[in-house]
């Protein structure tokens, strides 16, 4: 009986550890995108768009890499894939805006929308746990 109880406890601990893995641990491409997003979005909140202007192409490349990456099976849902596609398109459009020297207000608005799409993906991934 003690052995069975121990096995159940160990199994429960293993399951809990696996579900505690973050989306970023399971899906490295989304983590890489997040690195660029956080380093461009947070400065923009303070009016500093220089990181965005210098890294918009990198961000678009990282967004495109998400759909080309090895997406974990649990995240390959129509909703997540559609949001990842939207992230790719909006990232590419934002980079084009940077190249075209759009106004700071337009860039800030577009980056905020992109940030929202990113959080949409992470939220959808969290629902899968």
């Amino acid at each position: 009986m003690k052995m069975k109880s121990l096995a159940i406890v160990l199994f429960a601990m293993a399951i809990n550890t696996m579900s505690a893995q973050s989306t970023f641990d399971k899906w490295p491409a989304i983590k890489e995108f997040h690195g660029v997003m956080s380093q461009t979005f947070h400065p923009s909140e303070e009016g500093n768009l220089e990181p965005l202007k210098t890294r918009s192409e990198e961000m678009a490349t990282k967004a495109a890499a998400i759909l080309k990456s090895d997406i974990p099976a649990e995240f390959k849902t129509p909703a997540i894939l559609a949001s990842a596609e939207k992230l790719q398109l909006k990232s590419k459009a934002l980079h084009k805006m940077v190249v075209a020297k759009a106004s700071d207000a337009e860039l800030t608005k577009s980056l905020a929308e992109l940030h929202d799409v990113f959080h949409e993906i992470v939220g959808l991934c969290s629902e899968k746990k």
Side-chain angles (χ1 to χ4, degrees):
M1 185 67 168
K2 285 183 180 182
M3 196 61 140
K4 188 176 180 180
S5 295
L6 179 60
I8 290 171
V9 168
L10 290 175
F11 179 74
M13 287 174 59
I15 294 294
N16 190 32
T17 299
M18 286 187 289
S19 66
Q21 263 190 321
S22 77
T23 299
F24 295 154
D25 292 334
K26 294 178 184 178
W27 195 0
I30 202 84
K31 181 179 183 177
E32 289 180 24
F33 178 84
H34 176 255
V36 180
M37 171 56 78
S38 67
Q39 293 169 5
T40 56
F41 179 74
H42 295 298
S44 78
E45 292 178 300
E46 298 169 5
N48 180 5
L49 294 179
E50 198 55 37
L52 171 64
K53 291 176 181 179
T54 59
R55 299 186 74 186
S56 64
E57 184 174 20
E58 179 186 3
M59 188 156 40
T61 300
K62 299 279 186 201
I66 290 170
L67 285 171
K68 294 176 185 171
S69 71
D70 185 20
I71 302 170
E74 67 191 280
F75 302 148
K76 276 191 175 178
T77 66
I80 291 172
L81 294 174
S83 292
E85 187 172 330
K86 187 175 9 171
L87 187 82
Q88 179 182 356
L89 294 171
K90 286 189 169 288
S91 294
K92 188 176 180 179
L94 177 56
H95 174 61
K96 287 181 179 180
M97 291 173 68
V98 168
V99 170
K101 302 196 183 306
S103 72
D104 285 359
E106 291 172 311
L107 293 174
T108 301
K109 180 179 184 231
S110 183
L111 182 58
E113 291 171 358
L114 185 63
H115 185 257
D116 289 346
V117 173
F118 169 74
H119 277 283
E120 179 181 299
I121 294 169
V122 173
L124 289 167
C125 290
S126 296
E127 290 175 7
K128 299 291 156 203
K129 288 185 178 180

